[in-house]
Amino acid sequence: MQQVGLLGCGNIATILAAHGEGTLDIAACHEIDASRMRDYADRTGASPCESLDALLRSAVPVLLEAASIDAVTSSLLPALAAGKDVIVLSVGGLYDAGFLAEARQAAAAAGRRIYVPSGAIFGLDNLRVARLVGLQSLRLKSTKHPRSLGLDALTEPECVFRGRAGEAVTRFPKNINVSSALGLATGMEPEVEIWADPGIESNRHEIHAAGDFGEVSIVTDNLPSPENPATSYLAALSVLALVKRLGDPLQVGS
């Protein structure tokens, strides 16, 4: 069972606690909302840490970020310097090329690893294979209910964004981690469309990639968390799958 220090005690943290028995030992936690942190600690038995520094001083070998893009940029380098591996859920925090290069260098210098779960989509391993022979195009269309995008007033389907992934991450930092994960896996900035559709109750991600390998289309239609419609169960559960894979002597997939 993997022991971790959890940064962020929100909805994803709750899902991890509910489904992580036997896989994840959340030994310590930190959250900017002190009341929520203490409540989470009481419910899970994790040791509450009043600051990020206190969390990094704890004996946990892995920092699990489940907070925000800002939390990634403020915690990743200090965590690596403190000798911890890091699991990053808010993948948009790695989109800046300069910061990503600095993080890679820091991890290599410290002999540590940065892990990015597959999140709310399927197929990242195959797209990583396609990268070896070259991609010519990579497109992502994400469709969510307007409430998960903060657009409750919409009554008809509407494309609320069309452009490059870098801009999508800036405009919708809590909703488009998928585009960042695609970029990291393929080395190519995806073209992104974000749709708000009041007739949909799932979070739908449609990926189309073409290259020397051929073409592939992947549709992931996953259910949002009842507590927070901006979060899918699949994104949280992908963390547990990653942790299990790290400890398994048999590795399946690329």
Side-chain angles (χ1 to χ4, degrees), residues 16-32:
L16 293 175
H19 295 274
E21 186 176 355
T23 300
L24 207 60
D25 174 16
I26 303 172
C29 63
H30 172 65
E31 159 73 48
I32 58 173

Side-chain angles (χ1 to χ4, degrees), residues 47-206:
S47 297
C49 299
E50 297 299 326
S51 66
L52 174 62
D53 286 345
L55 181 62
L56 296 183
R57 287 195 303 269
S58 67
V60 296
V62 177
L63 177 72
L64 199 171
E65 177 277 320
S68 67
I69 286 177
D70 288 343
V72 175
T73 55
S74 64
S75 69
L76 180 54
L77 298 180
L80 294 169
K84 301 185 188 304
D85 292 331
V86 183
I87 299 173
V88 175
L89 273 76
S90 303
V91 197
L94 299 176
Y95 206 83
D96 179 81
F99 180 72
L100 177 60
E102 189 177 3
R104 287 180 183 274
Q105 185 177 23
R112 298 292 91 198
R113 299 279 185 176
I114 303 167
Y115 298 104
V116 176
S118 57
I121 55 173
F122 288 93
L124 279 187
D125 55 344
N126 300 95
L127 290 169
R128 196 165 56 244
V129 173
R131 176 181 185 172
L132 298 178
V133 293
L135 286 168
Q136 275 93 50
S137 67
L138 180 64
R139 300 195 304 272
L140 167 68
K141 178 182 177 182
S142 291
T143 305
K144 297 188 175 187
H145 194 280
R147 65 173 170 266
S148 71
L149 296 167
L151 301 169
D152 291 4
L154 288 183
T155 58
E156 298 291 335
E158 182 177 327
C159 180
V160 297
F161 176 84
R162 183 180 285 112
R164 307 299 292 180
E167 185 183 354
V169 169
T170 302
R171 294 267 303 275
F172 296 90
K174 296 181 180 180
N175 292 277
I176 202 64
N177 281 315
V178 169
S179 67
S180 297
L182 280 175
L184 289 173
T186 63
M188 181 178 187
E189 185 178 25
E191 300 173 5
V192 176
E193 287 187 8
I194 302 175
W195 284 76
D197 184 350
I200 194 172
E201 291 298 332
S202 61
N203 295 328
R204 181 175 298 154
H205 302 289
E206 302 169 64

Side-chain angles (χ1 to χ4, degrees), residues 12 75 107 173 179 246 251:
I12 286 181
S75 69
S179 67
L246 293 179
Q251 299 288 311

